[in-house]
């Protein structure tokens, strides 16, 4: 039958369309549009051919032929043909003044450019489509275009812009009374809020989605909505509330025969049973689902199910069987991890499977195998980062030798989903551990304290959350620290990434720095430290962007980088005087360009200082960026781009706003600018946890570099800068934001001078002799004639 249709299509193409009467051409074109039996390439070719004949007869119908012909080519993976047909249709409709036809074609054309990954070309097309549809008061068309734009942004992981477009689509979908569209849009909005960590908002949104889907009566949509709601409740650690929602989702998927989604509902049900201490029911359920996942070839799901089986067996005291299941899960996980090529995908699977290391280490601890448990946790900490930099897993003996050299202790946390939080404390003499309990309340207190500090609140306002963290986290750790330990290197759980731990000890008595993994203590320290070269970029200003307004104003959500372009940072210019004393080492205003940064990242550099705006993406850390000046406007140098350089740097300082980043992944830790600079080749990076005040940043940075020039190690220099800011009465927002990642115990040799003892006082006789010598020098210098 397919061959017959193909031959019929070819015969139709061979017949000259112009030989048909005009009315017959129009009629035939409409028949082809509605003919679902034709293969897509043939349908697209026929419609494109009929469009040429219809252009002067009925331009609207001709444009529709090109629109539908492009859609047929798009679905047949013929993207170039689709774009060419849509572009031709836009030109015809525009020449004829047919705004409705033009807006529909523009919408399709924008989708095509987005599918190609050319977002900068797609955005003005979306903008023009929205302009036309607003002029036409086309409510349904506006709803579709905003929804398409939201999905395009979401696919590109431009979350803040996707969320803004989703909110706009929501308004037009309600006006158009499009319930199906509202359900899809509401689901998308809830997923984005959850991905951004805005769980309370996601919970409210998903409840609205459940209500909408219930009124529509679409079983599959109801199932998806119930599943999303249940998973948000699990994220909020409310498993008993989640369980009935997840059971409801499973029933709906089974009724609509959606076996694929049903398996994921089963996974979440098992998770809720484990979290609510119903291990026997969880074990029975997981053993029912494992054969189904095996038969379906769902290796990712099977990895999680094997881990859950091991956790249930462990809770039931069946240690040997639990270890077998957890080792199976780890083997499956590591095989999947190795098979994936790109770092983003490798990091992504940690959100589903990476906590197998925490579960296995807990089992090993229960049988007294402390060192084995330490190495298991370390094996699961930032393997993607280690693979990127060519690092190796370090032994306990190697780590202890380095810790003895620097009088340090290493604190390595596991990174569990819902297992207890465990901290290993390793110093030069011994390895110990402490179990700290459920990580959920600590994560909530950490989020609350960080939010208050970022808002400029005092330590007293943050007191309750900090006191609870002090009791649950800091005090048990302090008991394991030897008095001879002078500094700390911390591999935090993902929820504590960047948290200013010095606040928990009441006062900053020991300097500390963050590491992506314990092994990074060795390989970051072994990197050669360039002995020269300083570059400071500050207060970028792009004449091109300030002279010509952005064409996408007031309608499309634009990137944060574009929104920040042109906002001045006057104190940043004064700040870099403390960094680079020579004007040749400074780039300010229109000279603080992305090109200058890229050139700097191609060679060795002792100090790189960036006092600029920064963009933070909470969902995709690779899209976080440094905002600099560009020849044609703002130039955002992304974290993903930075990580690809072969850089040799001793110290990088990012004194912009929120440069540490917000994207955290279970096991892998944090993603963003600091990680990318370390991956590129830097030994250490100073970054900020939230938006910092321009003046406060200048005071902190000036004190930090003064301490480095006095010979202090970089972690001690950061500690001293905090104290200077405190002494000047600055709020915690201005000094607690700065954190150090990477090497902490070493001086920055290119900046350090021989430190002078604070108790040293030149004796009076020596001062007299020095004065006489200086007088003689001046006399000789000014008394003798100069060579002209």
């Amino acid at each position: 039958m397919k061959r017959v249709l193909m031959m019929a299509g070819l015969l139709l193409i061979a017949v000259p369309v112009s030989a048909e009467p005009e009315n017959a051409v129009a009629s035939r074109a409409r028949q082809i549009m509605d003919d679902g039996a034709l293969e897509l390439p043939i349908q697209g070719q026929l419609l494109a051919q009929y469009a040429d004949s219809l252009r002067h007869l009925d331009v609207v119908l001709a444009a529709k032929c090109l629109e539908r012909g492009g859609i047929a080519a798009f679905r047949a993976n013929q993207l170039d043909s689709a774009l060419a047909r849509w572009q031709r249709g836009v030109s015809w409709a525009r020449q004829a003044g047919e705004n409705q036809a033009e807006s529909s074609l523009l919408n399709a054309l924008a989708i095509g450019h987005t599918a190609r990954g050319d977002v900068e070309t797609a955005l003005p097309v979306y903008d023009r489509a929205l302009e036309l549809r607003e002029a036409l008061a086309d409510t349904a068309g506006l709803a579709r275009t905003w929804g398409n734009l939201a999905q395009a942004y979401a696919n590109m992981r431009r979350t803040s812009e996707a969320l803004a477009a989703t909110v706009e689509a929501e308004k037009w979908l309600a006006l158009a009374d499009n319930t199906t569209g509202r359900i899809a849009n509401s689901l998308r909005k809830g997923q984005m809020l959850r991905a951004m960590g805005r769980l309370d908002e996601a919970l409210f949104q998903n409840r609205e989605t459940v209500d909408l889907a219930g009124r529509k009566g679409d079983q599959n949509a109801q199932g998806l909505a119930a599943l999303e709601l249940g998973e948000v409740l699990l994220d909020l650690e409310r498993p008993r509330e989640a369980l009935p929602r997840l059971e409801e989702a499973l029933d709906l998927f089974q009724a609509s025969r959606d076996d694929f989604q049903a398996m994921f509902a089963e996974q979440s049900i098992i998770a809720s049973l484990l979290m609510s201490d119903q291990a026997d029911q969880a074990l029975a359920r997981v053993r029912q689902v494992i054969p189904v996942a095996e038969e379906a070839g769902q290796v990712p799901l099977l990895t999680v199910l094997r881990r859950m089986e091991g956790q249930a067996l462990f809770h039931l005291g069946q240690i040997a069987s639990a270890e077998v299941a957890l080792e199976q899960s780890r083997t499956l996980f590591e095989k999947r991890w190795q098979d994936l090529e790109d770092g983003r995908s490798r990091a992504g699977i940690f959100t589903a499977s990476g906590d197998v290391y925490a579960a296995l280490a807990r089992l090993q601890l229960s049988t007294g195998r402390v060192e084995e448990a330490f190495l298991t946790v370390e094996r699961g900490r930032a393997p993607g980062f280690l693979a990127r930099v060519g690092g190796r897993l370090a032994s306990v003996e190697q780590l202890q030798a380095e810790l003895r050299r620097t009088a340090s202790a290493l604190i390595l946390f596991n990174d569990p989903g819902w297992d207890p939080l465990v901290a290993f404390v390793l110093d030069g003499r011994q390895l110990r551990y402490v179990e700290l309990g459920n990580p959920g309340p600590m994560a909530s207190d950490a989020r609350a304290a960080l939010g208050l500090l970022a808002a400029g609140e005092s330590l007293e306002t943050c007191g309750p959350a900090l006191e609870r963290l002090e009791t649950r986290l800091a005090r048990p750790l302090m008991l394991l620290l030897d008095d001879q330990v002078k500094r700390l290197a911390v591999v935090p759980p993902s929820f504590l990434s960047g948290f200013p731990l010095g606040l928990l000890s009441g006062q900053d008595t020991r300097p500390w720095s963050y590491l992506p993994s314990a092994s990074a203590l060795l390989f970051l320290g072994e990197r050669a430290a360039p002995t020269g070269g300083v570059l400071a970029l500050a207060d970028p200003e792009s004449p091109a962007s300030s002279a010509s307004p952005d064409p996408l104003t007031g309608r499309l959500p634009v990137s944060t980088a574009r929104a920040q372009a042109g906002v001045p940072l006057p104190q940043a210019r004064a700040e870099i005087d403390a960094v680079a004393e020579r004007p040749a080492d400074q780039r300010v205003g229109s000279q603080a360009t992305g090109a200058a940064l890229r050139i700097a990242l191609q060679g060795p550099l002792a100090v790189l200082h960036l006092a600029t705006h920064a963009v933070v993406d909470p969902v995709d850390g690779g899209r976080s960026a440094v905002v600099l000046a560009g020849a044609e406007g703002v130039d955002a140098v992304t974290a993903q781009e930075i990580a690809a350089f072969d850089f040799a740097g001793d110290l990088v300082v990012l004194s912009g706003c929120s440069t540490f980043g917000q994207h955290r992944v279970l096991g892998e830790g944090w993603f963003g600018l600091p990680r990318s600079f370390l991956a590129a080749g830097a030994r250490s990076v100073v970054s900020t946890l939230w938006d910092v005040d321009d003046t406060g940043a200048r005071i902190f940075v000036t004190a930090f570099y003064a301490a480095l020039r006095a010979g202090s190690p970089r972690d001690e220099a950061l500690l001293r800068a905090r104290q200077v800011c405190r002494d000047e009465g600055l709020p915690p927002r201005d000094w607690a934001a700065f954190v150090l990642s990477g090497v902490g115990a070493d001086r920055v040799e290119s900046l350090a001078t021989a430190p002078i003892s604070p108790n040293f006082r030149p004796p009076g006789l020596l001062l007299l002799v020095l004065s006489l010598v200086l007088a003689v020098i001046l006399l000789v210098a000014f008394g003798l004639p100069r060579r002209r």
Side-chain angles (χ1 to χ4, degrees), residues 568-598:
L569 296 170
Q571 294 292 327
R573 300 192 179 212
E575 172 183 316
I576 63 171
D577 288 336
V579 185
E581 297 175 338
R582 300 188 313 156
D585 297 332
Q586 299 181 1
R587 304 285 188 277
V588 299
S590 61
Q591 301 301 310
T593 63
L597 175 57
R598 293 181 181 95

Side-chain angles (χ1 to χ4, degrees), residues 523-711:
F523 69 76
L524 290 178
E526 290 169 355
R527 287 176 172 172
T531 56
V534 175
L535 178 64
L537 282 73
D539 192 20
E541 175 187 325
S542 176
S545 63
S546 58
S548 57
D550 194 316
L552 305 178
T553 53
R555 189 176 293 108
L556 293 189
V558 297
S559 69
T560 310
R562 189 172 294 170
Q564 288 180 342
V567 178
L569 296 170
Q571 294 292 327
R573 300 192 179 212
E575 172 183 316
I576 63 171
D577 288 336
V579 185
E581 297 175 338
R582 300 188 313 156
D585 297 332
Q586 299 181 1
R587 304 285 188 277
V588 299
S590 61
Q591 301 301 310
T593 63
L597 175 57
R598 293 181 181 95
I599 291 170
L601 290 173
Q602 294 175 22
L605 198 63
V607 179
L608 174 62
H609 186 95
L610 302 174
T612 71
H613 290 295
V615 177
V616 177
D617 193 304
V619 176
D620 183 359
R623 292 197 67 254
S624 295
V626 178
V627 180
L628 293 164
E632 299 180 357
V634 63
D635 189 353
V637 185
T638 66
Q640 184 176 2
E641 182 182 357
I642 290 165
F645 279 92
D646 186 11
F647 177 52
D650 194 8
L651 174 67
V652 176
V653 177
L654 308 171
S655 73
C657 291
S658 303
T659 52
F660 185 86
Q662 300 173 5
H663 178 206
R664 298 170 176 88
V665 175
L666 197 68
E668 277 289 352
W670 73 95
F671 281 75
L673 293 168
R675 178 186 175 108
S676 291
F677 276 106
L678 291 175
R683 299 180 77 234
S684 57
V685 181
V686 173
S687 56
T688 57
L689 297 174
W690 49 72
D691 293 356
V692 290
D693 176 72
D694 199 18
T695 301
R698 177 184 58 78
I699 294 171
F700 185 95
V701 166
T702 301
F704 174 60
Y705 280 101
L708 289 176
R709 293 185 186 280

Side-chain angles (χ1 to χ4, degrees), residues 94-374:
R94 186 170 297 168
Q95 290 171 9
E98 293 290 346
N99 291 344
Q100 186 72 56
E102 183 186 350
S103 67
S104 294
L105 283 154
L106 285 168
N107 187 64
L109 185 61
I111 293 171
H113 285 307
T114 303
R116 175 172 274 177
D118 191 359
V119 62
E120 295 305 322
T121 302
L123 288 179
V125 179
Y126 274 121
D127 189 53
R128 173 62 177 163
L130 290 169
E131 179 184 19
L132 288 174
R133 288 185 159 171
E134 286 175 4
L136 293 165
D138 182 1
T139 303
L142 283 163
R144 282 194 299 274
T145 301
W146 277 112
N148 292 335
L149 179 60
Q151 191 60 53
Y153 277 133
N155 291 343
M156 292 181 289
R157 302 173 75 90
R158 293 172 61 165
T159 313
S160 60
E161 294 142 293
L163 188 58
T166 299
V167 170
E168 192 68 24
E170 190 174 18
K171 176 180 72 177
W172 294 107
L173 285 163
L175 288 172
D177 196 24
N178 184 343
T179 306
T180 301
R182 288 181 67 194
I183 293 169
N185 195 65
S186 187
L187 272 171
R188 180 169 53 238
K189 184 179 178 183
Q191 289 165 350
M192 285 187 287
L193 289 168
R194 183 184 173 209
M196 295 171 75
R198 295 162 61 175
L199 297 180
D200 290 331
E201 295 172 73
L203 183 64
F204 177 80
Q205 187 65 41
N206 283 313
R207 282 178 171 154
E208 281 198 346
T209 311
V210 167
D211 291 341
L212 273 172
R215 290 199 295 271
K216 179 68 174 176
D218 183 332
Q219 287 184 324
N220 193 259
Q222 285 178 272
L224 290 171
L227 178 59
E228 281 291 322
L229 179 56
E231 289 182 343
V232 172
L233 288 166
L234 286 180
D235 289 343
L236 290 166
E237 298 196 7
R238 293 156 62 176
R240 295 188 183 277
E241 291 179 60
L243 187 56
R245 289 297 190 183
L246 296 168
E247 294 280 14
E248 177 188 353
L250 178 62
D251 291 341
L252 288 163
F253 289 139
Q254 289 174 339
S256 61
R257 297 183 179 179
D258 189 342
D259 296 333
F260 180 77
Q261 292 292 351
M263 284 193 291
F264 288 97
E266 288 276 18
Q267 173 191 324
S268 296
I269 289 168
I270 296 162
S272 68
L273 291 170
L274 284 171
M275 291 175 70
S276 53
D277 297 322
Q278 300 179 63
D280 51 347
Q281 294 184 43
L283 181 60
R285 195 124 189 183
V286 76
R287 285 181 166 170
Q288 290 177 353
V289 182
I290 283 175
V292 179
E294 287 178 328
E295 185 179 351
Q298 284 291 329
V299 177
L301 180 59
L302 185 61
T303 306
V304 178
L305 293 173
R306 287 293 185 195
R307 187 251 299 163
M308 289 176 166
E309 181 186 23
Q311 289 172 306
L313 288 164
F314 177 78
H315 281 288
L316 294 170
Q318 300 178 39
I319 305 301
S321 299
E323 188 161 6
V324 170
L326 290 172
E327 287 288 3
Q328 287 176 333
S329 176
R330 184 172 73 172
T331 300
L332 285 168
F333 173 77
E334 291 180 352
K335 174 64 167 59
R336 284 181 59 220
W337 192 90
Q338 290 292 342
D339 289 343
L340 293 169
E341 294 182 358
D342 65 289
R344 180 182 294 174
S345 297
R346 284 178 166 181
I349 67 171
F350 260 99
T351 59
S353 312
D355 52 356
V356 64
Y357 297 97
L360 183 57
R362 187 186 181 200
L363 183 147
Q364 291 163 342
L365 287 174
S366 73
T367 57
R369 294 176 281 166
V370 179
E371 185 170 324
E372 189 177 348
F374 174 90

Side-chain angles (χ1 to χ4, degrees), residues 392-413:
R392 64 191 184 282
L393 287 173
S395 68
V396 171
E397 292 76 16
Q398 289 172 320
L399 292 169
Q400 285 183 310
E402 176 63 16
L403 293 170
R404 282 193 294 269
R405 183 186 73 83
T406 57
S408 304
L410 171 74
I411 302 177
L412 172 68
F413 288 87

